[in-house]
């Protein structure tokens, strides 16, 4: 695969490291100081992988999809613009895969939490909450992954209706689902979902040890989206991967 990296920070560099190890080629890297790419330079890439800033997503999707290039979007914190991204992808007939978290381990966490929510919907004595921890440079809060977990839980647990993502000033309502965020040090990313009753707690935790899991998932998604059109998530990629093993 010939890959363009939009955003060449912590994630961009990890994707580069793994891509080269796997025999892929990085044909272009772009950071905030790079000159805007031309159709010519972009033309060398089969796919672009975006790990930059939330505010740059729509502009990059517009530009790269006009050049007919599929995109993998790892950047988080832009999801209000999803309808616009869908419309651009559809108009230009290109493929986009986005995910709040490309790591296979976190996608297993999603599946376990979904199942837990389904079971505990019938057991009202259990409350649920989410805690996520990330390094102190992270721009968005709560993390996109925590929001994905909360959306899953709200879909499964009918007693939870609303996300509470800031520190409460008093008691929280039973229909609120609390997400607490901690920003400190160089923590790569930890997400814990706790189901808590008077009798016991069930905790499901994913701890990223480094960024290689995100990078591997993004590369799998890049290979998968190359010849497709439409907007997909990592769930679609993994569903196909588990079916075909490719
Ligand atoms: N989905 C996932 O699995 C996953 C996993 C980890 C992180 N992420 C997300 O990926 C994003 C990047 O994270 P990171 O840790 O790599 O951040 P980072 O180390 O701060 O790197 C950000 C990169 O984006 C560049 N950039 C900023 N504005 C840009 C623009 N307008 N056009 C092109 N490049 C621009 C920066 O350039 P300068 O250095 O010149 O400013 C830098 O190279 C975040 O949204 C994060 O939440 C997603």
């Amino acid at each position: 695969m010939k890959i363009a990296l939009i955003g060449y920070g912590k994630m961009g560099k990890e994707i580069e490291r793994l891509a080269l190890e796997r025999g892929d080629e990085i044909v272009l890297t772009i950071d905030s100081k790079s000159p805007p790419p031309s159709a010519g330079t972009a033309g060398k890439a089969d796919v672009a992988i975006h790990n930059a800033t939330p505010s740059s997503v729509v502009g990059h999707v517009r530009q790269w999809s006009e050049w007919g290039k599929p995109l993998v979007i790892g950047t988080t914190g832009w999801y209000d613009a999803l309808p616009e991204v869908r419309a651009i992808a559809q108009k230009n007939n290109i493929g986009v895969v986005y995910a709040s978290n490309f790591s296979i381990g976190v996608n297993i966490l999603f599946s376990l939490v979904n199942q837990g929510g389904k079971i505990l919907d019938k057991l009202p004595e259990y409350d649920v909450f989410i805690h996520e921890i990330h390094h102190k440079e992270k721009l968005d809060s709560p993390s996109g992954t925590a929001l994905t977990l909360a959306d899953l839980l709200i879909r499964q647990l009918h007693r939870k209706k609303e996300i509470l993502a800031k520190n409460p000033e008093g008691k929280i309502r039973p229909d609120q689902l609390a997400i607490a965020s901690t920003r400190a040090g160089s923590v790569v990313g930890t997400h814990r979902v706790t189901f808590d009753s008077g009798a016991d707690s069930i905790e499901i935790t994913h701890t990223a040890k480094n960024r290689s899991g995100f990078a591997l998932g993004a590369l799998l998604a890049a290979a998968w989206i190359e010849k497709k059109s439409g907007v997909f998530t990592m769930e679609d990629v993994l569903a196909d991967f588990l079916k075909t093993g490719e």
Side-chain angles (χ1 to χ4, degrees), residues 122-173:
K122 298 173 191 85
L123 296 166
E125 50 275 40
Y126 281 88
D127 198 9
V128 62
F129 57 93
I130 299 169
H131 183 203
E132 56 99 352
I133 315 173
H134 281 88
H135 55 88
K136 57 187 183 331
E137 284 168 19
K138 185 163 176 63
L139 294 181
D140 51 324
S141 175
S143 68
T145 304
L147 289 171
T148 304
L149 287 165
D151 286 342
L152 285 175
L153 286 164
I154 283 179
R155 243 181 284 145
Q156 296 299 352
L157 281 174
H158 291 95
R159 55 188 175 276
K160 292 291 179 191
K161 309 263 184 245
E162 186 185 293
I163 296 171
L164 178 68
K166 57 179 173 54
N167 276 340
E169 276 160 21
K171 272 166 69 167
I172 77 164
R173 297 197 316 268

Side-chain angles (χ1 to χ4, degrees), residues 18-180:
L18 203 66
L20 297 179
E21 209 176 281
R22 290 163 54 94
D24 296 322
E25 203 182 322
I26 305 299
V27 292
L28 183 64
T29 60
I30 302 170
D31 63 17
S32 68
K33 296 171 268 307
S34 309
S38 63
T41 47
K44 296 189 192 119
D46 300 318
V47 58
I49 305 184
H50 194 284
N51 282 286
T53 53
S55 59
S56 68
V57 169
V58 173
H60 283 130
V61 171
R62 185 169 292 115
Q63 191 172 51
W64 285 76
S65 61
E66 280 169 8
W67 292 327
K69 299 294 173 187
L71 289 115
V72 172
I73 309 177
T75 305
T76 53
W78 59 273
Y79 303 123
D80 288 349
L82 192 53
E84 206 177 341
V85 164
R86 277 188 204 288
I88 298 169
Q90 195 178 10
K91 184 174 159 218
N92 295 289
N93 204 27
I94 56 125
V96 172
V97 189
Y98 73 96
S100 60
N101 199 309
F102 276 103
S103 111
I104 291 169
V106 159
N107 282 275
I108 292 168
L109 172 76
F110 290 156
S111 158
L112 294 173
V113 167
N114 194 47
Q115 185 63 16
K118 210 180 274 182
I119 296 167
L120 293 171
D121 191 36
K122 298 173 191 85
L123 296 166
E125 50 275 40
Y126 281 88
D127 198 9
V128 62
F129 57 93
I130 299 169
H131 183 203
E132 56 99 352
I133 315 173
H134 281 88
H135 55 88
K136 57 187 183 331
E137 284 168 19
K138 185 163 176 63
L139 294 181
D140 51 324
S141 175
S143 68
T145 304
L147 289 171
T148 304
L149 287 165
D151 286 342
L152 285 175
L153 286 164
I154 283 179
R155 243 181 284 145
Q156 296 299 352
L157 281 174
H158 291 95
R159 55 188 175 276
K160 292 291 179 191
K161 309 263 184 245
E162 186 185 293
I163 296 171
L164 178 68
K166 57 179 173 54
N167 276 340
E169 276 160 21
K171 272 166 69 167
I172 77 164
R173 297 197 316 268
D175 66 347
Q176 288 179 313
L177 169 54
I179 304 180

